[in-house]
């Protein structure tokens, strides 16, 4: 793709919007229980690679299944807030394939003995993207945690530990 043509600019804007929507749709899903915005970020078949945070293997699934994955992973937290960087690096591989990298500070909030706690993870997201009939969508997401701050019990809660 040429950097000077109008289609490049339109695609670049669409990718920026998609990457911002990814994080905001997670927050919206957690707040409302409606995960449809997040589901809509993905291709019909997608891969979620959260192994650098949770271990295990990447998961390939139908996009409708990602809603349960997100809901279950965040169930222990009362709120989640993605602050995605407004600079997203996009590499267009072709007119229908791209890769975008973005950083986000993701705050997770949970109560402990009646006091709200915060655990924040600085993340680098790498999104493999595909241009579909619906527009640009995420075919694969890789979550790479860079730094943790706040109450590190949040990390243990994210990994499945539950308070008795």
């Amino acid at each position: 793709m040429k950097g000077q043509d109008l289609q490049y600019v339109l695609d670049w804007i669409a990718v920026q919007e998609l990457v911002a929507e990814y994080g905001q749709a997670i927050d919206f899903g957690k707040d409302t229980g409606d995960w449809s915005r997040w589901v809509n970020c993905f291709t019909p078949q997608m891969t979620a690679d959260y192994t650098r945070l949770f271990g295990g293997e990447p998961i390939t699934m139908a996009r409708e299944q990602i809603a349960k994955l997100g809901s279950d992973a965040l169930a222990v937290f009362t709120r989640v807030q993605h602050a995605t960087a407004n600079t997203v690096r996009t590499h267009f591989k072709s007119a229908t394939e791209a890769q975008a990298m973005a950083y986000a500070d993701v705050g997770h909030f949970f109560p402990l003995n009646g006091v709200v706690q915060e655990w924040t993870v600085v993340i680098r997201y790498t999104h493999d993207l595909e241009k579909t009939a619906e527009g640009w969508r995420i075919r694969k997401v890789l979550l790479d945690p860079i730094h943790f701050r706040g109450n590190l019990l949040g990390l243990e809660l994210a990994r499945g530990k539950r308070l008795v």
Side-chain angles (χ1 to χ4, degrees), residues 40-158:
N40 193 45
C41 290
F42 299 99
T43 57
Q45 188 76 8
M46 57 81 58
T47 300
D49 186 346
Y50 300 134
T51 58
R52 293 179 183 180
L53 183 63
F54 298 116
E57 297 295 323
I59 304 166
T60 300
M61 66 186 96
R63 69 178 168 193
E64 291 77 18
Q65 296 173 290
I66 194 80
K68 181 169 177 17
L69 184 77
S71 179
D72 290 352
L74 299 175
V76 69
F77 300 107
T78 55
R79 298 291 304 263
V80 178
Q81 190 265 323
H82 282 71
T84 305
N86 63 358
T87 303
V88 176
R89 183 69 186 131
T90 303
H91 170 69
F92 289 101
K93 298 177 178 184
S94 71
T96 59
E97 291 187 11
Q99 188 175 71
M101 186 178 292
Y103 290 88
D105 277 19
V106 184
H108 301 74
F109 303 90
F110 60 97
L112 183 62
N113 299 324
V115 177
V116 175
Q117 304 290 308
E118 178 183 352
W119 166 65
T120 297
V121 56
V122 178
I123 295 171
R124 180 178 52 232
Y125 286 112
T126 303
H127 300 289
D128 290 342
L129 308 171
E130 182 179 320
K131 191 173 187 179
T132 70
E134 299 173 301
W136 285 97
R137 296 294 183 265
I138 299 167
R139 183 179 55 238
K140 179 180 179 184
V141 56
L142 169 66
L143 182 155
D144 189 8
I146 304 298
H147 177 74
F148 305 109
R149 63 179 179 266
N151 188 333
L152 292 181
L153 176 59
L155 176 59
E156 293 180 50
L157 293 172

